[in-house]
Structures are given as structure tokens and as C-alpha cells.
């Protein structure tokens, strides 16, 4: 690795990218991109140079016509993600096979493709998933991540021209599980990607989502919902790289926290390069702290290299449970626990409604209420 590559980057566009894990220096937790993460809890994911544990199993249900799920050799798909952190490079080098989710061109389905991703145990493992959506297709894909895992995980998503994809990823790992995931979207000309990222389970879940555009008119919406309980660390980062003119992005993440040492992190980066005139972008993060002892870190960033943008902005807010709202509801005869449920459900309602599968919406609502009940027990 050259001396130039080792110098700290002055812009997100200069961040080191490599498929070789040994090109990345050892992580000590003092680096800007790792300073919020409890490094020791990542275990082998941050120290190893290869991973040999069993990869998660993929269990597709009844798939709509035009959508297939197959295991292919890693060399048979063109990588759209060039890793820019050590764990992503580790996942790329350690996964011998890729789970390919293929959507044929012009496929239109009102029924979601639901695929369960099941962890196979606590031994450190790697996985690569590749979603390829053909031109003019319009589909919804749900990835439910369950079981026990210690996982370095890359998820690459390619949208053809004028394709429309709603991708829902749900992290409902068993207690004690660890996941470090990188989700990469490549959005084609006039294509629209909507990602709804839900994190509830696991001990430590660190999810990095990045977006590139392949042509004018691309549109990416990134939505996130997370609820950290006592001891959990849930971390979400985004990098939306606008390098093409006349594209749009919107990032909206909301999180709730309760219990001792519950910790959430949100870091949103948007880069608008000099060539990306006509860009429209906005990012917002809101956090609701339900109890003492919980901590939410929120860092929005905008890097703009051209003055010719349609709009660009960001916002962040972290606050405690609103006792006035609670009092208002209780004064009208609603018991305290029911009132708390109503406030928290209202906080998450916009994001839950982005999921176009009724059964999943109901299940998430039940999961959120179960966590509130646990805190009140």
C-alpha cells in the first residue's frame, strides 16, 4: 500500500478502497469510523484475515414469477461494492459463494418475495448476497435475518434502468449475535430504490449502507427503524455518493432506546461531487430515549463540491420521552402503559408504514410493544 493511501483522507471520495483485507491497518477504536463501536465485541470480525464458520442458510418461501434465488460461485457476479473498511473486505475474501437474488427484466409483482436468512452458529463467518433487478422491473424483496451468528456480511444491490425496488432488511438475530454488514446500492438511470432497514435483535449490529448512481434520474430513499434494549449496540451509517447529475436521495432513520448501556449510533454522510449538478438530498435522524442509562449518538454530514444543487439539508434530534404527551393521554383515561405504547407507536408509524407487507408491519408493532412491556415489568 502506498504512503498516499495511508494518509488520512480529507474527503469521503479519498477513503481507501480495497478487496484485500491486509491493505487495511489494524483497528484500535480511535479511528473516526470506529470510535463509537465497541471493538472488542466484534471479536474475530475485526482481527482475522479469513473466516471459516458456516455461512447463513437462505430459505426462500414461495417466490413470485420472475424472481429466483440461487447459490453461485463468487467469480460469476461482478462486484459493485469495493470495500472501504476491514470487515467488508474480510467478507468479500472469505465468502466462496454468493447468494444471487435475480429479478428478470420487466417483472412486476404485487406480492413480496420473502427470504429468511438463518445464522448457523456463533463461529465467525462471512456472507455475500447479490440482488440484481432487471430493467423496468418493479418488486418488493424482504430479507429476514434470524438465528445465531457472528457475521461479516456484504449485500450488493444493482438496479437496472427504470427499475423500482423496495428492499426490507430485518435484523432479528438471537441474543449474543454480532453482525457487521455493508449494503451497497447501484441505482440505474431513472431507477428508484427504497430500502427499509430494521434492527431489533443481536448483541452488536453495525450496518453501513452506501449508494452510487449509474445514470441521471436515479432516486434512493433509505429508511431505518431501530430499538436498542439494555446492553445492545445498534449502529447505522450511510454514504450517499452523488456523482451523476439530476439524482435524488432521502435518508430518514428513527431509533428508540431503553435500559442500562443501550447504545445507538447514526452517522449519515452525503457527498455531492462537482459533476452532480441538480442534486436533491436530505437526511434526518431522530432518537427517543426512554430510560436513564441509554445513549444515542447522531452525526449528520454534508460534503458539497458544487453550488448548482436543487436542495441539500440535514437534521438530527435526540430527546427523552415526552412526559407532557403521556400526561395528556393519561388525563383522558388511558392507562400509563397503553399511553406509552401509543406515543412510541406514533414515533415509529411513518417508518413502519413504509413496509408494504401487512403481516410484517403487525409483527414489528408487536415486537416494539413487547420491548416496552419488558421495561415496565
Amino acid at each position: 500500500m502506498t504512503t498516499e493511501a495511508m494518509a488520512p483522507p480529507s474527503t469521503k471520495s479519498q477513503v481507501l478502497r480495497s478487496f484485500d483485507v491486509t491493505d487495511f491497518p489494524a483497528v484500535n477504536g480511535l479511528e473516526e469510523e470506529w470510535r463509537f463501536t465497541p471493538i472488542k465485541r466484534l471479536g474475530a470480525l475485526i482481527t482475522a484475515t479469513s473466516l471459516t464458520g458456516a455461512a447463513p442458510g437462505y430459505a426462500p418461501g414461495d417466490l413470485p414469477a420472475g424472481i429466483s434465488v440461487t447459490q453461485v460461485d463468487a467469480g460469476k457476479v461482478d462486484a459493485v461494492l469495493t470495500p472501504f473498511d476491514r470487515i467488508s473486505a474480510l467478507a468479500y475474501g472469505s465468502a466462496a459463494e454468493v447468494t444471487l437474488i435475480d429479478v428478470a427484466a420487466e417483472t412486476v409483482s404485487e406480492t413480496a418475495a420473502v427470504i429468511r436468512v438463518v445464522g448457523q452458529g456463533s463461529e465467525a463467518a462471512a456472507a455475500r448476497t447479490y440482488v440484481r433487478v432487471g430493467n423496468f422491473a418493479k418488486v418488493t424483496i424482504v430479507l429476514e435475518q434470524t438465528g445465531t451468528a457472528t457475521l461479516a456480511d456484504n449485500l450488493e444491490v444493482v438496479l437496472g434502468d427504470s427499475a423500482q425496488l423496495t428492499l426490507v432488511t430485518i435484523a432479528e438475530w438471537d441474543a449474543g449475535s454480532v453482525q457487521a454488514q455493508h449494503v451497497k446500492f447501484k441505482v440505474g438511470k431513472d431507477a428508484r430504490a427504497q430500502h427499509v432497514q430494521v434492527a431489533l435483535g443481536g448483541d452488536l449490529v453495525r450496518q453501513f449502507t452506501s449508494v452510487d448512481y449509474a445514470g441521471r434520474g436515479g432516486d434512493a430513499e433509505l429508511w431505518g427503524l431501530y430499538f436498542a434494549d439494555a446492553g445492545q449496540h445498534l449502529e447505522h451509517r450511510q454514504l450517499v455518493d452523488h456523482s451523476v447529475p439530476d439524482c435524488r436521495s432521502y435518508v430518514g432513520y428513527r431509533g428508540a432506546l431503553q435500559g442500562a448501556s443501550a447504545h445507538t449510533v447514526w452517522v449519515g454522510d452525503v457527498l455531492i461531487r462537482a459533476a452532480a449538478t441538480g442534486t436533491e438530498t436530505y437526511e434526518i435522524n431522530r432518537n427517543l430515549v426512554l430510560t436513564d442509562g441509554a445513549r444515542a449518538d447522531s452525526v449528520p454530514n454534508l460534503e458539497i463540491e458544487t453550488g448548482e444543487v436543487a436542495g441539500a439539508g440535514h437534521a438530527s434530534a435526540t430527546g427523552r420521552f415526552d412526559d407532557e404527551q403521556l400526561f395528556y393521554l393519561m388525563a383522558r383515561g388511558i392507562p400509563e402503559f397503553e399511553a406509552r405504547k401509543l406515543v412510541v407507536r406514533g414515533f415509529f408509524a411513518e417508518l413502519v408504514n413504509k413496509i408494504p407487507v401487512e403481516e410484517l408491519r403487525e409483527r414489528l408493532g408487536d415486537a416494539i410493544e413487547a420491548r416496552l412491556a419488558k421495561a415496565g415489568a
Side-chain angles (χ1 to χ4, degrees), residues 360-376:
L360 281 179
R361 292 196 299 268
E362 293 177 354
R363 208 175 79 203
L364 286 175
D366 292 343
I368 290 168
E369 290 186 8
R371 293 215 165 180
L372 291 170
K374 177 183 174 182

Side-chain angles (χ1 to χ4, degrees), residues 171-187:
E172 281 191 293
W173 300 109
D174 293 344
S177 294
V178 175
Q179 180 188 33
Q181 182 182 61
H182 191 153
V183 184
K184 172 63 177 286
F185 286 88
K186 188 77 170 181
V187 182

